Amino acid sequence: MKLSTVIGAAALSASAYAASYDTIPDIKVYGQHFFYNNNGSQFYMKGVAYQENFSPNGSASSNVQYTDPLSNKDKCARDIPYLKKIFTNVIRVYAIDPTANHDDCMEMLAANDIYVVADLSEPGTSIQSDSPEWTVPVYQRYTSVVDALHKYNNVIGFFAGNEVVEKANQTAASAFVKAAVRDTKTYIKTMKYRQTLGVGYATADVPSRDQLAHYFACQPIDGTDTTIDFWGYNVYSWCGFSNYEASSYGERVQFFSDYPVPVFFAEYGCNEGIPGGPTHRPFTEVEVLYGNMTEVFSGGIVYQWFQSENNFGLVQIDGNDVNPEPDYTSLMSQLAKVKPTSTASSAYKPTNSPPACPTQDASWAPVASPLPPPVNPELCDCAMSSLTCTVDSDDVDSYGSEFGFICGEEQGKYCVGIQHNATTGEFGAISGCSPKQQLAFVANQYYMAQDSSNKAAACDFDGLAKTQDPKTTGSCSALLQAAGTDGAGSVAAPTGGASSSSSAAAPNGLSTPAFFNFGQTFFVAYVITAVVSGVGMLVL
């Protein structure tokens, strides 16, 4: 099956638009379901993951390149007719360029009643599984994506993380993702963006999945909105001609039956053990997903559109031609048969309440509260200006040894302002700043504690630092007072936008040493051990 680009472009030309991103009805969350905001009819996702040459699990490297799937109108015009033939009404995109123009693609999608769920991270700028932090560079990446996409009515919402917790020893990272959910929702509200924009998380099918689901939906402190608006579940347990029981779909329906927000498959479509090979997926799960699961699940998103080395692609792209794989036809056939039961929002009364937060045990590390503090770029800029000793170098490879030296002194007292321990709930006020700002803060703590005989050499740190005239202006006094001299205080969330000079304070992918996650006592012991053994300090 081929459809020429000329025909596709003509069908999607501006004169043919049935709707625009300004007029298409937005989708709202109400209880456990999605609804069209204009007439209250229920919305089920019939989606496709739409991003070429990209690994959804992300990368800590800022050198990984990606293609923004919403910025090339010719590619959108080429693909949308094929998306419509398989009844697509939502696409998931994993990384966009917030500086690009997305009007053409978003208009074409809206004209075809296709909505978007967008991940907020990008390669190198995300919350890392093994060394998690919620800092200014990541916050500014997230808010820049919100800024770029909020105006489009066909954006349902955003994922603050995707499969961040994959292993048993990574559950502490969920605290930083939940803080990202909180701050992104606060930003949307502060900026007076459309309030139907949701923020959620997409989990892998891991042993801690139930604890993760409860953690992100629980609300430990009244009056603080930290819960997700929807829950994405990446599931590959139904392979080939499996069934409701063998795939554990039934168990998932039972578990989420009393969940307070919409749940959907953020990725599905196992390609293992398929007769004929991975491109022959029969998609027999579709009948069940849009059948007896609809009281609990709101549909799903097939992984993925573009064929690649992983053999999950529904189509092969050859220049301007789209060549469907056999499973494209299978998916189209299966979706053509489904007729999910629809409930009007006017006839639906949510009854599910937030679950209890999981308790700490051998399989669950983070405390329910507090979360990492709200990222406040203004505080970080104020702190930098107020320092007498500051870091003057962007040589990030040299930061680790300086962190190790400073925080190994005086039982770690110079570094309480940057600690971020999700297991004990101990977080310094400066822990949300960039690595460069954090190093400057602790360097100044060390410098100010030295007597006059050592002052001249105390702000050198192998040439990374220098002295400056400290300045405190405007609202900085109140922010710095709240943070405390040693950074052990707490500061409120920012009240304005996310713009800050601190965006250039650290390259993508840089984080402070992972040992700050373990608390002060453990940290000092770690430094001593590392120095004795010659391991050295690494910036992870």
Side-chain angles (χ1 to χ4, degrees):
M1 293 185 298
K2 285 191 177 183
L3 186 65
S4 72
T5 302
V6 174
I7 295 175
L12 296 167
S13 65
S15 61
Y17 288 149
S20 73
Y21 58 70
D22 291 321
T23 61
I24 189 173
D26 54 320
I27 304 299
K28 69 176 181 180
V29 169
Y30 182 48
Q32 202 174 16
H33 303 300
F34 292 107
F35 295 94
Y36 288 95
N37 202 25
N38 62 336
N39 60 16
S41 60
Q42 193 171 351
F43 179 84
Y44 288 101
M45 291 189 176
K46 297 176 182 176
V48 177
Y50 186 75
Q51 187 126 15
E52 59 184 320
N53 302 321
F54 187 81
S55 172
N57 287 335
S59 169
S61 172
S62 60
N63 295 322
V64 176
Q65 300 297 310
Y66 64 90
T67 301
D68 183 339
L70 301 178
S71 63
N72 189 312
K73 64 180 180 180
D74 294 332
K75 291 183 178 180
C76 289
R78 177 196 65 198
D79 293 338
I80 289 175
Y82 277 94
L83 288 166
K84 285 304 294 181
K85 290 190 73 172
I86 55 173
F87 306 97
T88 302
N89 65 3
V90 64
I91 59 173
R92 178 182 178 183
V93 297
Y94 292 93
I96 66 134
D97 176 2
T99 66
N101 188 307
H102 304 101
D103 288 355
D104 289 328
C105 283
M106 293 304 295
E107 191 82 348
M108 294 177 194
L109 291 166
N112 286 270
D113 300 315
I114 297 176
Y115 291 80
V116 173
V117 177
D119 288 51
L120 293 170
S121 63
E122 68 175 347
T125 313
S126 62
I127 298 170
Q128 299 299 313
S129 303
D130 293 318
S131 55
E133 291 185 290
W134 175 232
T135 59
V136 166
V138 185
Y139 173 77
Q140 291 180 327
R141 160 66 194 184
Y142 279 29
T143 54
S144 69
V145 174
V146 174
D147 289 339
L149 297 182
H150 77 91
K151 72 176 183 178
Y152 306 114
N153 276 3
N154 53 332
V155 171
I156 295 173
F158 310 97
F159 281 128
N162 179 70
E163 299 187 357
V164 176
V165 177
E166 295 184 284
K167 302 176 183 176
N169 64 349
Q170 295 174 341
T171 59
S174 58
F176 299 89
V177 181
K178 190 166 183 176
V181 170
R182 175 201 62 205
D183 290 358
T184 304
K185 293 176 68 169
T186 298
Y187 183 78
I188 290 171
K189 184 176 181 179
T190 299
M191 298 301 291
K192 295 181 170 52
Y193 292 158
R194 174 165 50 88
Q195 290 304 295
T196 53
L197 287 168
V199 183
Y201 175 74
T203 182
D205 195 13
V206 293
S208 59
R209 65 193 178 213
D210 292 353
Q211 292 163 306
L212 285 164
H214 282 164
Y215 178 77
F216 278 95
C218 74
Q219 185 65 63
I221 301 177
D222 291 338
T224 303
D225 190 0
T226 64
T227 61
I228 40 102
D229 297 310
F230 48 75
W231 186 250
Y233 191 22
N234 299 343
V235 184
Y236 294 91
S237 60
W238 186 304
C239 299
F241 296 90
S242 188
N243 58 60
Y244 191 64
E245 289 75 26
S247 64
S248 298
Y249 275 26
E251 294 177 18
R252 298 299 90 211
V253 169
Q254 182 178 2
F255 174 80
F256 286 108
S257 61
D258 60 353
Y259 206 60
V261 299
V263 182
F264 59 93
F265 287 172
E267 292 176 9
Y268 77 96
C270 171
N271 68 353
E272 297 180 357
I274 309 297
T279 61
H280 288 71
R281 291 177 289 180
F283 285 111
T284 52
E285 66 265 49
V286 166
E287 180 182 5
V288 175
L289 179 58
Y290 297 96
N292 59 333
M293 294 178 66
T294 54
E295 287 190 12
V296 176
F297 280 80
S298 295
I301 299 172
V302 170
Y303 187 79
Q304 60 178 348
W305 183 249
F306 298 96
Q307 189 58 278
S308 63
E309 293 179 359
N310 61 23
N311 281 319
F312 277 98
L314 292 171
V315 301
Q316 289 270 8
I317 302 297
D318 182 12
N320 293 327
D321 292 326
V322 179
N323 301 298
E325 299 283 11
D327 52 6
Y328 173 95
T329 303
S330 298
L331 180 62
M332 179 170 57
S333 176
Q334 293 287 353
L335 286 170
K337 295 183 290 186
V338 301
K339 295 181 180 179
T341 303
S342 181
T343 300
S345 60
S346 59
Y348 168 68
K349 183 178 180 180
T351 57
N352 296 342
S353 56
C357 297
T359 57
Q360 288 180 297
D361 57 25
S363 62
W364 186 255
V367 295
S369 180
L371 293 174
V375 170
N376 193 317
E378 184 182 6
L379 165 67
C380 299
D381 288 343
C382 288
M384 288 290 282
S385 298
S386 71
L387 304 178
T388 302
C389 177
T390 189
V391 171
D392 189 41
S393 172
D394 291 321
D395 181 12
V396 297
D397 294 332
S398 301
Y399 286 3
S401 59
E402 306 308 330
F403 272 121
F405 167 73
I406 297 168
C407 297
E409 295 289 301
E410 299 291 334
Q411 297 295 303
K413 75 174 185 178
Y414 303 128
C415 294
V416 296
I418 64 170
Q419 65 179 327
H420 43 279
N421 187 344
T423 302
T424 64
E426 297 174 297
F427 301 99
I430 310 300
S431 64
C433 299
S434 73
K436 181 178 180 180
Q437 291 168 327
Q438 291 185 44
L439 180 57
F441 184 84
V442 300
N444 188 72
Q445 291 287 304
Y446 174 85
Y447 173 78
M448 297 303 291
Q450 306 308 305
D451 59 39
S452 57
S453 63
N454 192 40
K455 282 280 188 182
C459 185
D460 180 72
F461 298 104
D462 297 319
L464 295 180
K466 68 173 186 178
T467 58
Q468 66 177 14
D469 293 329
K471 298 177 182 178
T472 303
T473 59
S475 59
C476 285
S477 295
L479 288 171
L480 295 173
Q481 183 176 4
T485 303
D486 61 355
S490 59
V491 177
T495 57
S499 60
S500 167
S501 62
S502 57
S503 61
N508 293 344
L510 175 67
S511 64
T512 49
F515 42 71
F516 288 122
N517 291 325
F518 295 97
Q520 188 172 344
T521 303
F522 181 90
F523 166 69
V524 173
Y526 185 97
V527 170
I528 293 173
T529 301
V531 170
V532 171
S533 65
V535 171
M537 298 292 112
L538 298 178
V539 175
L540 301 177

